[in-house]
Amino acid sequence: MEHTRSFQSLTSFDEQGRRSAVVLNRSRTIALEKVDKAPFSLFHVKVWLVAGVGFFTDAYDIFTISIAAIMIGYVYDNYLQRGVDFGLKVASPVGNLIGQVLFGWLADMVGRKRMYGIELMIIITSTFAQALSGSGPAVNIIGALTFWRFMMGVGIGGDYPLSAIITSEFAATRSRGRLMTAVFASQGWGYIVSVIVALVTVSAFKGAILQDQPTDLRHIDYCWRILIGVGCIPGIIALYFRLTIPETPRFTMDIERNVKHACRNIEAVLSANGVTPGVWRVDPEASTERTDSPKASLRDFRKYFGQWKNSRVLVGTAYSWFALDIAFYGLGLNSSKIFTKKILFAMGLGSNPSSGTLGVFDNLHDIIVYTLIVVSSALLPGYLASFLVIDSWGRKPIQFMGFTVLSILFLVMGFGFQELTESIWRLKLLMFLYCLANFFQNFGPNVTTFIIPGEVFPTRYRATGHGFSAACGKLGAIVAQIIFYLNGDSIQTILKIFGFVMLSGVASTLLLPETRGRSLEELSNEHQKGFIRDANVIELRNGIVLRKIP
């Protein structure tokens, strides 16, 4: 009799599960619509701040090396040799590549929330270690710095897919582009603050630097350590909020396959921000379902990306980011090689050529001031322009326009470089074209290559797809440093190469869909009707496990 009663209860549960699959599909659709149509709230501001501080820190830590490397060269090598300079600048992108792939995959496997904050701990630890690095009998300071910049790169790399996906999965459809742009634009603020800190630090130590001996520039040693060490501060401030941010409902719903819990989480977020009335509380006796819906696996991965309509999107996002970062990091980490002290002085931006410790100070000061001019006049306005039109123009038109304009600008600068350096007014024209290129990187593919991969893949592969695309971008950054290393002072050739690479970015943009105004589920290229096939694969009800009868 007991056996019969147990059999009947399981059979009843199986039949109920078949009926509830329809209900759960409807619940999933309604819950996702609530997220997609939610008005902008304080919760969205919190997401922007928590994710944005990470990108602020990332940019600060990445781009300080362009100035810090010059300081390190004065202190430890009198002039940083080309191979050493290459190693310091390429270590972080190599770490980025590994971190983006690893953390992107882990975010899809174990959860966005569980990984969020771990990457920031890596960044804080490795940045602090750089500021305290020194030489010894067994290790050279350049080797120590290269290792810690690699580790920092791993953490920064992990921040890309995590911040992008958490932002996109919490955002409303109509404002998703602006919210993701605001997060990514924090990169520009991190860059400009790094330059300001460098300017303040060098200016504060001016008297001490001038008192140093040319062979013992110890106060410049203070400068680069302070410059890099300050990068820990915003990361430490953001860490608590990273660790306490809630899991995204889409992960709970589509990867953990717990629709009921995801619906409760959505109601909690909306009610906490005044969007819907009521107070949410945890019910420890509530049942937890694991629905039968598409699950990440090697077989499922092959099935999904084996279709050209899906694989072309991955190719488009990956190559577009690769092409963009060749120019973005090529210029961002080597601007002092393009605009030399001689060129800056001819344009009235540099100091009179001098020698000794005064020459050292003037050279650092001029490079910092020039970088500040470029960042403030080009990068930040570019981010602002993208923010204003990203949800009205769309991502694809902005990226297509940006790559087109960049290819023209780089080819003009490359083929006309000699002529553009023959007089003062032509040098000013060259600088204007260079600033314009920086503007259209950010009012163009630098923003869209970050946003689109966070929107176009299904939830179970969204972080993996974004991480892979971002890693291809950092491969481009590595290629850019190799191009500079191999071509040395041939800036004309480098600019030509950049121009043709941007032209290839125009072609890769054609592979991408327009994502403006479309839900993440619609963009996944998967049928949403009947997405949940069954509701009773496994259910925990008051601690009792019920399984579906085969």
Side-chain angles (χ1 to χ4, degrees):
M1 178 66 72
E2 184 66 30
H3 173 77
T4 304
R5 193 161 43 239
S6 175
F7 177 81
Q8 287 175 343
S9 65
L10 287 174
T11 305
S12 175
F13 172 63
D14 182 58
E15 292 173 353
Q16 179 63 32
R18 292 178 190 277
R19 290 194 297 271
S20 66
V22 177
V23 176
L24 286 172
N25 269 303
R26 189 182 301 118
S27 298
R28 176 177 179 271
T29 301
I30 293 172
L32 291 176
E33 284 182 354
K34 287 184 178 181
V35 175
D36 290 339
K37 296 180 180 180
F40 192 79
S41 66
L42 289 176
F43 179 77
H44 295 108
V45 175
K46 179 183 177 181
V47 171
W48 164 56
L49 291 173
V50 173
V53 169
F55 271 94
F56 177 95
T57 305
D58 296 348
Y60 184 99
D61 293 338
I62 288 173
F63 291 107
T64 49
I65 197 61
S66 63
I67 298 171
I70 300 171
M71 298 179 180
I72 294 167
Y74 278 128
V75 177
Y76 293 99
D77 208 13
N78 197 28
Y79 176 76
L80 207 58
Q81 298 176 6
R82 201 151 60 101
V84 176
D85 179 75
F86 169 77
L88 280 177
K89 291 178 179 177
V90 83
S92 181
V94 171
N96 289 163
L97 190 154
I98 295 172
Q100 284 158 345
V101 173
L102 177 62
F103 278 84
W105 175 72
L106 288 173
D108 281 339
M109 290 296 103
V110 303
R112 287 77 160 115
K113 174 180 172 57
R114 290 179 183 174
M115 300 309 301
Y116 214 33
I118 294 176
E119 85 293 349
L120 201 53
M121 295 179 193
I122 297 173
I123 295 171
I124 293 168
T125 302
S126 54
T127 301
F128 194 64
Q130 287 177 68
L132 297 179
S133 293
S135 292
V139 64
N140 181 274
I141 188 170
I142 302 300
L145 285 172
T146 302
F147 170 78
W148 286 116
R149 286 200 67 78
F150 166 79
M151 292 302 299
M152 181 192 75
V154 172
I156 291 174
D159 200 31
Y160 274 71
L162 286 167
S163 291
I165 301 311
I166 285 174
T167 304
S168 70
E169 292 184 350
F170 274 125
T173 300
R174 66 179 176 275
S175 59
R176 189 175 61 232
R178 289 194 298 274
L179 187 59
M180 295 184 74
T181 301
V183 169
F184 193 65
S186 302
Q187 185 183 74
W189 290 107
Y191 195 170
I192 196 170
V193 169
S194 72
V195 182
I196 292 173
V197 171
L199 180 61
V200 170
T201 303
V202 169
S203 299
F205 277 91
K206 179 180 180 180
I209 292 172
L210 296 182
Q211 296 298 318
D212 285 340
Q213 297 298 317
T215 56
D216 184 18
L217 298 169
R218 63 181 58 197
H219 287 95
I220 290 183
D221 194 47
Y222 295 161
C223 289
W224 76 258
R225 293 179 187 277
I226 292 172
L227 176 59
I228 289 178
V230 168
C232 294
I233 298 174
I236 293 171
I237 294 172
L239 185 58
Y240 169 78
F241 300 99
R242 286 278 176 105
L243 296 173
T244 56
I245 198 168
E247 182 58 87
T248 71
R250 281 182 164 94
F251 178 86
T252 305
M253 189 176 295
D254 290 350
I255 298 180
E256 290 187 334
R257 300 185 295 165
N258 189 343
V259 176
K260 289 184 178 179
H261 187 59
C263 292
R264 291 198 299 269
N265 286 350
I266 291 171
E267 291 297 334
V269 170
L270 296 180
S271 64
N273 290 279
V275 179
T276 59
V279 178
W280 177 71
R281 64 184 180 85
V282 177
D283 181 4
E285 299 298 319
S287 63
T288 301
E289 283 189 294
R290 296 290 184 265
T291 60
D292 182 10
S293 54
K295 184 178 180 181
S297 66
L298 183 59
R299 181 179 180 181
D300 181 76
F301 183 89
R302 288 174 176 172
K303 179 182 177 181
Y304 180 81
F305 287 103
Q307 303 176 65
W308 173 240
K309 67 176 182 178
N310 298 325
S311 58
R312 66 178 286 181
V313 175
L314 182 60
V315 172
T317 57
Y319 185 82
S320 296
W321 210 331
F322 170 82
L324 178 276
D325 273 7
I326 286 180
F328 184 76
Y329 282 94
L331 299 178
L333 297 179
N334 298 282
S335 59
S336 62
K337 295 181 180 179
I338 297 175
F339 286 89
T340 62
K341 187 174 178 64
K342 179 181 177 181
I343 293 177
L344 291 175
F345 181 70
M347 290 189 294
L349 295 174
S351 308
N352 289 311
S354 52
S355 58
T357 53
L358 178 60
V360 171
F361 172 83
D362 286 342
N363 185 50
L364 286 172
H365 185 272
D366 292 345
I367 290 172
I368 294 168
V369 168
Y370 163 71
T371 305
L372 185 60
I373 291 172
V374 172
V375 173
S376 58
S377 65
L379 263 66
L380 291 179
Y383 285 121
L384 177 61
S386 290
F387 177 82
L388 293 175
V389 302
I390 193 74
D391 282 317
S392 55
W393 284 18
R395 288 59 148 162
K396 191 172 180 178
I398 292 175
Q399 180 165 310
F400 189 88
M401 173 203 66
F403 271 129
T404 302
V405 174
L406 286 170
S407 62
I408 295 171
L409 289 172
F410 283 127
L411 290 174
V412 168
M413 286 190 288
F415 284 100
F417 190 78
Q418 285 297 123
E419 291 77 8
L420 289 170
T421 56
E422 289 179 352
S423 65
I424 293 177
W425 76 267
R426 289 183 180 180
L427 283 170
K428 292 181 179 179
L429 176 60
L430 176 62
M431 185 173 183
F432 172 75
L433 293 174
Y434 183 81
C435 289
L436 204 60
N438 276 275
F439 174 81
F440 279 102
Q441 282 179 332
N442 295 288
F443 184 34
N446 191 37
V447 169
T448 55
T449 53
F450 171 79
I451 293 176
I452 296 173
E455 300 177 306
V456 292
F457 304 112
T459 303
R460 63 190 183 279
Y461 298 125
R462 189 168 292 130
T464 302
H466 191 284
F468 176 78
S469 301
C472 289
K474 291 308 168 283
L475 180 61
I478 296 167
V479 169
Q481 301 313 311
I482 293 173
I483 290 172
F484 268 92
Y485 180 76
L486 295 177
N487 287 274
D489 297 327
S490 183
I491 304 302
Q492 186 172 10
T493 301
I494 291 171
L495 291 172
K496 290 178 184 177
I497 293 172
F498 286 177
F500 288 115
V501 171
M502 295 301 100
L503 203 57
S504 69
V506 175
S508 65
T509 302
L510 299 176
L511 298 173
L512 301 172
E514 176 51 60
T515 63
R516 175 178 61 92
R518 300 171 67 188
S519 72
L520 298 180
E521 285 64 41
E522 181 185 358
L523 289 167
S524 70
N525 278 335
E526 290 187 310
H527 294 295
Q528 297 302 302
K529 185 177 181 180
F531 186 82
I532 298 172
R533 296 182 289 265
D534 209 342
N536 58 354
V537 171
I538 184 171
E539 179 170 349
L540 301 178
R541 183 176 297 162
N542 297 329
I544 302 173
V545 179
L546 302 175
R547 296 182 182 276
K548 176 184 174 183
I549 297 177

